[in-house]
């Protein structure tokens, strides 16, 4: 799955941005993040938008490298019907995608979080062989920086910077990447 080993940059196409915005606007009514102490609807919607932009960026990179990519999934799932399936499938191999904005990276150090709370836990954390791509998205420039894929077992996990997240999330910091 490690089809590239250097940081890749990509501009997100306008139609992808529109799909991501539409998805975020629709999905907001179906989510509840009380367990992570997040009630700001605007932030939750924005996070969903950023996530889809990251998935689109990773898809673009792999397609440019002549790989078959399935996803992103724009289906709106209700409640417990939400999918924990991989964000993308590259040549039928599941690939998770985690995206952080450049602005948040400046505030909290460039990092990505996984659910590790008593009510929600990212299943991928139990899959050491699973693959994940990390993306930094600069909204001002509409520029995504895509890091090479890593397996869960290769990652260094640390506590998030925000104290309120430390009981419900675990983080991976860009400074720990080796490529």
């Amino acid at each position: 799955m490690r089809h590239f080993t250097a940081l890749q940059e990509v501009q997100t196409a306008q139609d992808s941005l529109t799909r991501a915005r539409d998805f975020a606007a629709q999905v907001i009514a179906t989510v509840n993040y009380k367990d992570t102490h997040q009630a700001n609807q605007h932030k939750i919607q924005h996070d969903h938008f950023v996530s889809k932009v990251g998935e689109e960026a990773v898809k673009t990179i792999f397609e440019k490298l002549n790989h078959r990519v399935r996803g992103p999934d724009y289906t709106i799932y209700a409640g417990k019907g939400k999918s924990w399936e991989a964000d993308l499938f590259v040549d039928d191999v599941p690939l998770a995608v985690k995206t952080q904005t450049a602005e948040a990276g400046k505030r909290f150090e460039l990092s990505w979080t996984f659910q590790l709370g008593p009510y929600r836990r990212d299943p991928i954390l139990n899959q050491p062989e699973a693959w994940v791509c990390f993306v930094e998205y600069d909204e001002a420039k509409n520029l995504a920086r895509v890091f090479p894929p890593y397996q869960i077992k290769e990652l260094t996990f640390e506590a998030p910077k925000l104290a309120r997240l430390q009981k419900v999330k675990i983080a991976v910091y860009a400074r720990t990447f080796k490529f």
Side-chain angles (χ1 to χ4, degrees), residues 61-87:
I61 297 297
F62 277 100
E63 286 181 339
K64 283 183 179 179
L65 296 170
N66 296 314
H67 293 280
R68 223 173 353 102
V69 181
R70 182 166 44 98
D73 182 2
Y74 284 97
T75 305
I76 305 295
Y77 299 95
K80 295 190 187 277
K82 294 197 180 299
S83 173
W84 283 94
E85 188 173 78
D87 298 306

Side-chain angles (χ1 to χ4, degrees), residues 1-5 62 93-98 114 123-134 147-157 171-173 176-179:
M1 171 63 82
R2 195 163 284 124
H3 301 296
F4 61 95
T5 57
F62 277 100
V93 175
L95 177 65
V97 177
K98 295 285 187 178
F114 293 80
I124 197 169
L125 295 173
N126 298 325
Q127 302 167 18
E129 304 293 321
W131 291 93
V132 60
C133 249
F134 297 97
F147 290 82
Y150 289 92
Q151 288 184 291
I152 292 297
K153 66 184 179 186
E154 298 173 307
L155 300 173
T156 302
F157 292 96
V172 172
Y173 291 85
T176 66
F177 294 161
K178 296 167 181 65
F179 62 95

Side-chain angles (χ1 to χ4, degrees), residues 10-11 52 62 64-65 89-90 93 103 109 117 119-120 126 130 149 170-171:
V10 64
Q11 299 264 295
K52 287 301 178 194
F62 277 100
K64 283 183 179 179
L65 296 170
F89 291 84
V90 178
V93 175
E103 178 185 333
E109 186 177 351
Y119 304 107
R120 282 189 297 149
N126 298 325
I170 195 163

Side-chain angles (χ1 to χ4, degrees), residues 1-20:
M1 171 63 82
R2 195 163 284 124
H3 301 296
F4 61 95
T5 57
L7 194 62
Q8 306 288 312
E9 292 186 345
V10 64
Q11 299 264 295
T12 306
Q14 189 58 49
D15 62 325
S16 295
L17 293 172
T18 300
R19 273 195 308 276

